[in-house]
Each structure stands twice: as C-alpha cells, then as structure tokens.
C-alpha cells in the first residue's frame, strides 16, 4: 500500500509546488474489526471522525507527505501474508491536504495497492497496530518546546493479541529526528529515522510565508529484517513509542504567529496472525 498526491496530468503534487499530502488515514470498517490500540476506548477521536467507535473498524494504513510504502514481502520477506478485506468491510478515510499556493489547485489523493486476486487461500491475515503519542485523539501533540530537543512518548500499550511482527515505520513532523518502539524487558526494538530533502520535491521554494523549513521530511526508515529486534508479538508485552525531536538539527513547521506547529509521533506495525490465533481484545 502506498498513498500519493497527484495532479490531473499524473504529475506528483508535492512540496516543490506547494502541495502536501499532509495526512491520510485509511480505516477498514465492518463487523469484527477492532482497533488494536483504541478498541477499548469508548470515545476515540479518529474513529469518531469517520462516524464510528474503536470497535467496528480499525486504522489499517496511514501516510504523511513522506509517503512510506507498506510492502509486506519487502518488509519481512514473507509472501504469504496480506490484509484480508472482508465482504462486509467498507473503507473510510481521513484526509488532510495542504495547499501553500495563493490559488486553488486540483489534486487527487492516490492509493496504490498490491493485491492478490481470489479468496486469499494460503495467505495468513495481518493486523495493524497503531502507536501514537496522542493515542485515540487527533494524533497532534503541542510542541513542548520552541527550540532545541525534546521527546514525546505514547502511553504504553499492552499487547492484546499475538502474532509475528512483519515490520513498522514511523511518522513525524519537521524537526523530528527519530522515533523508537521499545518492549519492556528488551529495550529498543525499532528505530525509525527521519531524513530530509531526499529529492527536489521535498524542498520548498517559497520564501516569506508561514513555513520556515526548506528541506522537509522525505523518508522515515522502516524497521524490518535486522532493524527489527522483536519478531514475536505476545500477549502482555508492553510496547512504548518515543518520538525524538531536535529543532536545532532540523527546523520545525511554524504557524503564522511564528510558534512551532503541533508535532506527531506515530508508528504503524503490521502483525501476521495465523488462523486460530487469538484476534483482538
Ligand atoms: Cu502528521
């Protein structure tokens, strides 16, 4: 799965032309779906936005403008795992686009799927786990400092199902340096590192407007293979996300008033669930 933003002529709409695929979140909505980390929460904001609760749907994919692809065989080497859509599922989206130009632009959110036709026989299912420094809220965290380094952490999550960890990737905002997942008793098991201005598309040309940064996050590294220290999710394991920012290293996004914009610390982890394994809280 991969999200993008493009113009009607098929050209990428990105920061170099003032267009941001700021956020999208894709939900699978339907009977039997339970969000792994917010499913027990009666009032969960991201789910309320799509007219649902944490039960009856799950956040299955998300992307910021860095547009990290979630490609299971590449992440894990596994070719027999995939997300099984159910006949009763509907997809729902939260979409937040940004246009820095002073005129309207028409752009399209794109979703690219690699899919296996048929009933998925021989494929194990997979389940997403959403870690968030503002869990079950809007994912936005007020920047605790206007300069220098700080860390924002998510409330620890106690695993409520079991399976094999396929991989995980983080999402941060400008100023972000890296984001870690740790498991109690083991320590850091995933370190997703931000890189900036990886291509010309990720460098803003405009000057003198609200956004002071010029090179923006273009990539978050993916925890897969050797970069993923825990491959087994067990019930009772305690997982914690920590997002490390440093405005001295990389400029943050500024609001019109010159103050740092809200930051994020998110990671999605995919877990292979074999038939017969316990599924959900
Ligand atoms: Cu974000």
């Amino acid at each position: 799965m991969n999200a993008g933003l493009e113009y009607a002529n098929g050209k990428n709409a990105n920061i170099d032309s003032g267009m941001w695929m700021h956020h999208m979140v894709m939900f699978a909505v339907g009977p039997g779906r339970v969000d792994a980390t917010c499913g027990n929460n009666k009032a969960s904001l991201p789910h309320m936005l799509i007219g649902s609760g944490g039960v009856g749907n799950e956040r299955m994919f998300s992307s910021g403008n860095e547009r990290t692809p979630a490609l299971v065989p590449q992440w894990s080497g596994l070719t027999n795992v995939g997300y099984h859509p159910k006949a009763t599922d509907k997809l729902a989206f939260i979409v937040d686009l940004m246009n820095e130009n002073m005129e309207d632009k028409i752009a399209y959110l794109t979703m690219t799927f690699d899919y296996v036709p048929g009933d998925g026989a021989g494929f194990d299912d997979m389940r997403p786990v959403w870690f968030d420094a503002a869990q079950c809220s809007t994912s936005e965290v007020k920047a605790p400092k206007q300069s220098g380094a700080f860390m924002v952490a998510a409330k620890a999550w106690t695993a409520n199902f079991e399976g094999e960890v396929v991989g995980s990737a983080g999402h941060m905002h400008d100023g972000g340096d890296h984001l870690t997942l740790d498991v109690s008793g083991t320590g850091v098991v995933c370190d997703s590192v931000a890189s900036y201005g990886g291509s010309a598309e990720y460098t803003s040309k405009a000057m003198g407007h609200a956004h002071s940064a010029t090179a923006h996050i273009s990539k978050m590294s993916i925890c897969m293979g050797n970069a993923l220290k825990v491959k087994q999710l067990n019930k009772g394991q305690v997982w914690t996300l920590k997002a490390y920012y440093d405005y001295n290293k990389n400029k943050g996004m500024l609001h019109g008033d010159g103050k740092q914009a809200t930051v994020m610390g998110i990671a999605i982890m995919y877990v292979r669930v074999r038939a017969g394994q316990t599924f959900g809280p």
Side-chain angles (χ1 to χ4, degrees):
M1 290 175 282
N2 189 208
L5 186 69
E6 60 183 55
Y7 294 112
N9 64 6
K11 287 226 162 70
N12 256 359
N14 210 332
I15 297 166
D16 58 339
S17 61
M19 299 289 277
W20 293 66
M21 202 279 289
H22 200 286
H23 299 105
M24 59 73 59
V25 183
M26 184 167 72
F27 298 74
V29 184
R33 297 292 183 198
V34 181
D35 193 273
T37 45
C38 290
N40 290 326
N41 200 315
K42 283 275 181 293
S44 183
L45 274 170
H47 305 88
M48 285 163 72
L49 283 173
I50 58 153
S52 187
V55 175
N57 73 82
E58 66 185 354
R59 294 167 288 182
M60 66 166 289
F61 181 72
S62 179
S63 179
N65 199 60
E66 69 275 10
R67 309 174 191 192
T68 309
L71 192 55
V72 174
Q74 189 192 71
W75 282 26
S76 62
L78 298 169
T79 54
N80 61 342
V81 183
Y83 192 84
H84 283 215
K86 300 179 188 182
T88 47
D89 281 343
K90 287 178 181 171
L91 297 180
F93 291 80
I94 297 173
V95 181
D96 182 354
L97 308 179
M98 192 160 89
N99 176 8
E100 296 183 297
N101 301 287
M102 288 300 124
E103 72 266 13
D104 293 352
K105 297 269 183 191
I106 293 173
Y108 297 85
L109 175 78
T110 62
M111 281 298 307
T112 305
F113 299 95
D114 187 11
Y115 72 98
V116 179
D119 62 2
F123 276 71
D124 287 324
D125 206 348
M126 84 183 183
R127 189 153 186 231
V129 178
W130 183 290
F131 298 103
D132 197 323
Q135 189 64 283
C136 314
S137 182
T138 58
S139 301
E140 303 201 43
V141 180
K142 191 170 181 282
K145 289 173 77 175
Q146 291 297 312
S147 63
F150 62 87
M151 185 272 286
V152 292
K155 200 173 141 237
W157 175 69
T158 303
N160 48 23
F161 70 105
E162 57 190 38
E164 290 157 71
V165 182
V166 168
S168 181
H171 168 69
M172 306 180 83
H173 286 182
D174 283 353
D177 188 65
H178 69 289
L179 173 155
T180 61
L181 293 176
D182 71 69
V183 174
S184 59
T186 304
V188 172
V189 300
C190 165
D191 189 9
S192 182
V193 180
S195 37
Y196 286 73
S199 72
E201 282 197 356
Y202 283 92
T203 303
S204 50
K205 293 174 189 157
M207 301 292 285
H209 58 74
H211 304 287
S212 62
T214 51
H216 302 277
I217 292 182
S218 51
K219 189 182 168 193
M220 292 294 299
S221 69
I222 299 161
C223 295
M224 56 183 175
N226 292 334
L228 180 65
K229 306 290 182 222
V230 159
K231 301 276 202 299
Q232 180 66 35
L233 180 74
N234 290 317
K235 278 189 183 179
Q237 261 175 351
V238 179
W239 289 70
T240 308
L241 172 148
K242 290 177 180 156
Y244 296 87
Y245 280 78
D246 190 344
Y247 291 136
N248 293 342
K249 261 175 101 172
N250 291 291
K251 282 189 220 166
M253 274 284 192
L254 299 183
H255 277 307
D257 64 2
K259 291 272 198 311
Q260 295 288 353
T262 52
V263 298
M264 288 193 182
I266 299 176
I268 304 179
M269 177 169 83
Y270 291 109
V271 180
R272 173 196 202 175
V273 183
R274 290 176 193 271
Q277 275 180 321
T278 22
F279 202 92

